[in-house]
Amino acid sequence: MLEPVDIPSLGEAGRVNRILVATEAFAIHQSRLKALETEGDPQVYRRIISGGTFSQQERDEALVLRREACLDFNDMARAFDVLISPTAAITAPLIAEVESDFDRLNALILRNPSAVNVLDGCAATIPMDAPDELGAGLMVIGANGSDWKVLAGAEALERIVARR
């Protein structure tokens, strides 16, 4: 049986993820920033350098929010066999679209998997596009540590999706 689920802990997931990923990347790559500026991907460099703009207080608050969100999500997710969601908020864009609108499209492609990561869940994706269609996936999600349950759910759902 399918049942819609509200996940309140997702409300801050995007902001928390941005702060934590950027500050960690900045800390790890700080000694290489000069080289990355000239030799690295400009999109990646821009995201890494943004990590230096967040205060320690913002990082600490993000860590607290993440910890609370993980506990809430994992408690809720354990009440279900699996949760499902589109893997990405949009179908796969064309390369020309990405080149002209990278930031917006990249954010939409990464939004759902990043939310599962920030909530410390686990997930598998099954393809649900037909031949000659742009890529689309169905993400099968579970609480932290429910890997085998998620994989079994993905396998069962893949058989259903493949029939269409």
Side-chain angles (χ1 to χ4, degrees):
M1 175 173 81
L2 292 177
E3 179 181 329
V5 176
D6 183 37
I7 305 175
S9 48
L10 285 177
E12 293 290 321
R15 186 175 71 81
V16 166
N17 190 52
R18 252 186 322 282
I19 292 169
L20 295 179
V21 169
T23 56
E24 288 177 16
F26 185 79
I28 290 167
H29 298 292
Q30 196 164 11
S31 66
R32 295 182 282 276
L33 288 177
K34 193 70 176 158
L36 284 172
E37 184 177 16
T38 56
E39 299 169 15
D41 181 303
Q43 308 285 4
V44 174
Y45 174 76
R46 195 179 56 207
R47 281 182 279 167
I48 291 172
I49 203 78
S50 75
T53 66
F54 296 105
S55 70
Q56 186 63 44
Q57 181 179 344
E58 287 173 299
R59 179 173 163 64
D60 292 346
E61 288 171 0
L63 286 168
V64 169
L65 286 170
R66 179 176 188 254
R67 196 170 20 259
E68 291 169 358
C70 289
L71 291 171
D72 291 345
F73 171 76
N74 282 296
D75 285 347
M76 182 276 302
R78 289 187 203 297
F80 297 92
D81 292 329
V82 293
L83 304 168
I84 59 172
S85 147
T87 302
I90 57 173
T91 57
L94 300 173
I95 292 172
E97 293 172 313
V98 173
E99 288 172 347
S100 67
D101 196 7
F102 178 84
D103 289 335
R104 185 182 71 81
L105 293 173
N106 188 57
L108 287 170
I109 293 293
L110 294 176
R111 184 189 72 190
N112 296 356
S114 294
V116 174
N117 284 340
V118 82
L119 295 173
D120 203 23
C122 64
T125 293
I126 59 173
M128 58 179 207
D129 51 298
D132 301 322
E133 287 184 355
L134 292 173
L138 180 68
M139 188 164 50
V140 183
I141 307 160
N144 178 290
S146 64
D147 304 50
W148 294 113
K149 193 175 179 181
V150 166
L151 290 172
E155 185 177 42
L157 287 165
E158 188 172 29
R159 286 192 298 271
I160 294 167
V161 170
R163 281 190 236 143
R164 75 166 189 99

